[in-house]
Amino acid sequence: MSTLQLANAVLDTPLGSTLAAGANVTGPLNTVLNWMAWMVTAAGVAGLLIVGTRMAIAVRTGDGEEHLSQFLTVMGACVIGATAGPIVSTVMPWL
């Protein structure tokens, strides 16, 4: 087989067939990632509510506890969780 025939055979293969096979593989992965994104969102909201409640109780009782570190920890986790989805969706086409 000549180089020209080989190049023609490679170029004639439909790219959609390989993309369709990849979609079958990543379909369940996308479902799991969507569920995890919702769980991270719910955990972030719950964490902020808990920290806010503890701050309100501390102010009301007159305790001088430092809650800023807890607040920043929860906010950092929210930022990591929020950026994980776009990073994965950016990397997924190349997998």
Side-chain angles (χ1 to χ4, degrees):
M1 183 179 248
S2 72
T3 307
L4 185 58
Q5 290 173 336
L6 181 62
N8 191 20
V10 168
L11 292 175
D12 281 342
T13 57
L15 294 176
S17 63
T18 57
L19 293 176
N24 290 335
V25 173
T26 60
L29 179 63
N30 287 336
T31 303
V32 171
L33 288 174
N34 286 336
W35 277 99
M36 288 176 60
W38 280 107
M39 285 189 267
V40 165
T41 302
V45 169
L48 288 174
L49 287 173
I50 290 170
V51 170
T53 304
R54 291 181 65 182
M55 286 177 157
I57 292 171
V59 167
R60 186 156 177 95
T61 60
D63 292 337
E65 293 183 33
E66 184 67 37
H67 294 283
L68 184 61
S69 63
Q70 294 173 353
F71 178 75
L72 291 177
T73 301
V74 172
M75 287 304 294
C78 289
V79 167
I80 290 171
T83 58
I87 289 171
V88 169
S89 64
T90 303
V91 173
M92 285 294 283
W94 291 305
L95 293 179

